């Protein structure tokens, strides 16, 4: 799969692309990430990318020309703009992208992007959550990592991407490993019992209880109430 990233800060991605699962996906050839430096399409001697908003007001707006130049060659791909005004990114969003051959992520900066860019060059606007970051780079990196671990052959154990949080609409149960007793802090007895029926029942109860306490919205929206 190929991911194009249009950004003012290609060097920002050096870390996220060189570590752990994303680095492995790239090494294995399962994932190709193409960084498009928006600055190369900047206007004039100063390679200008932003200007003040028509109608006045604070902040700067990303101009249409540099983004049009960067996005025109990518018009046959699915183009996503990361912005706090977008729809929330979810596991379903990542599943959908991971099933395609190519996606283009645009990291917005400043107070916004000229609406004509969005109207003419963007297929989908997506937000990482209800908070404001300085730009879309963190969201693009989050999406790349979420996609990388879904690509065939990238995670060793396919079960581990199937059973986790959000797959069955519930949060994960707590997990423990050795030692069974750390300075008096013990592990729930059921997990040491060897009784797989009881263990599964306990895990299932924990998932439902955690979800009820922390994310009641997930229980209400759940698609498969039998799991
Ligand atoms: N850019 C700034 N804040 C953002 C957010 N919450 N999600 C996606 N892109 C952003």
């Amino acid at each position: 799969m190929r991911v194009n990233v249009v950004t003012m800060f290609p060097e920002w991605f050096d870390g996220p692309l060189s570590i752990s699962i994303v680095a492995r996906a790239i090494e294995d050839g399962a994932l190709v990430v193409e960084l498009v430096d928006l600055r190369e399409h900047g206007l004039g001697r100063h390679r200008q990318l932003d200007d003040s908003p028509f109608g006045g007001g604070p902040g700067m707006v990303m101009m249409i020309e540099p983004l049009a130049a960067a996005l025109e060659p990518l018009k046959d791909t699915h183009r996503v703009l990361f912005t706090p005004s977008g729809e929330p990114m979810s596991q379903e969003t990542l599943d959908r992208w991971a099933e395609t051959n190519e996606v283009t992520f645009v990291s917005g900066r400043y107070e916004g992007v000229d609406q004509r860019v969005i109207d003419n060059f963007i297929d989908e606007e997506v937000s990482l959550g209800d908070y404001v970051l300085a730009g879309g780079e963190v969201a693009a990196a989050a999406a790349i990592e979420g996609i990388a671990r879904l690509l065939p052959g990238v995670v060793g154990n396919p079960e581990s991407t199937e059973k986790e949080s959000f797959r069955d609409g519930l949060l994960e149960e707590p997990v423990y490993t050795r030692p069974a007793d750390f300075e008096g802090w013990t592990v729930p007895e059921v997990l040491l019992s060897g009784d797989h029926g009881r263990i599964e029942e306990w895990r299932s109860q924990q998932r439902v209880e955690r979800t009820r306490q922390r994310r009641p919205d997930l229980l209400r929206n759940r698609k498969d109430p039998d799991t």
Side-chain angles (χ1 to χ4, degrees):
M1 158 154 202
R2 183 184 176 94
V3 179
N4 311 297
V5 184
V6 178
T7 172
M8 291 170 54
F9 302 106
E11 69 280 11
W12 189 94
F13 289 87
D14 289 352
L17 296 182
S18 68
I19 291 165
S20 182
I21 220 165
V22 176
R24 220 180 316 139
I26 291 171
E27 243 169 61
D28 293 351
L31 178 67
V32 174
V33 178
E34 175 78 25
L35 297 168
V36 179
D37 186 354
L38 197 54
R39 187 67 64 181
E40 288 181 4
H41 301 286
L43 302 186
R45 205 158 48 90
H46 298 294
R47 302 235 169 253
Q48 187 184 357
L49 296 175
D50 63 318
D51 208 339
S52 43
F54 279 129
M60 300 291 270
V61 177
M62 290 179 79
M63 304 166 82
I64 190 166
E65 293 99 321
L67 280 162
L71 287 169
E72 181 61 31
L74 299 168
K75 64 172 181 287
D76 294 333
T77 70
H78 184 70
R79 295 152 303 177
V80 177
L81 174 70
F82 287 109
T83 159
S85 307
E87 295 195 30
M89 187 159 82
S90 66
Q91 190 61 50
E92 271 163 19
T93 320
L94 296 176
D95 291 346
R96 175 160 56 78
W97 293 339
E99 277 168 17
T100 66
N101 288 331
E102 185 168 6
V103 64
T104 296
F105 293 149
V106 183
S107 298
R109 280 263 149 182
Y110 303 112
E111 273 64 34
V113 173
D114 190 303
Q115 184 60 36
R116 293 167 293 180
V117 174
I118 298 166
D119 294 343
N120 296 287
F121 293 101
I122 294 297
D123 300 302
E124 186 175 12
E125 292 174 85
V126 171
S127 167
L128 198 57
D130 291 338
Y131 38 80
V132 180
L133 305 168
E137 279 76 13
V138 173
I144 290 169
E145 185 169 302
I147 287 170
R149 54 188 299 290
L150 295 173
L151 297 176
V154 173
V155 180
N157 171 14
E159 220 195 355
S160 70
T161 57
E162 268 160 36
K163 262 184 56 188
E164 68 211 334
S165 291
F166 303 117
R167 283 288 165 183
D168 58 1
L170 294 174
L171 304 184
E172 290 286 83
E173 72 275 15
V175 294
Y176 301 85
T177 188
R178 288 184 296 177
D181 184 332
F182 176 75
E183 300 183 1
W185 297 331
T186 55
V187 165
E189 178 276 326
V190 59
L191 296 177
L192 310 175
S193 69
D195 181 339
H196 292 291
R198 269 183 69 215
I199 291 171
E200 260 327 298
E201 193 182 328
W202 180 86
R203 286 180 169 158
S204 169
Q205 279 166 0
Q206 293 285 320
R207 286 196 289 270
V208 172
E209 185 50 27
R210 262 195 175 183
T211 310
R212 194 183 62 72
Q213 282 183 6
R214 299 177 185 181
R215 295 293 306 277
D217 57 306
L218 290 179
L219 285 181
R220 285 193 294 274
N221 299 333
R222 217 158 149 228
K223 284 187 191 134
D224 177 13
D226 295 323
T227 3

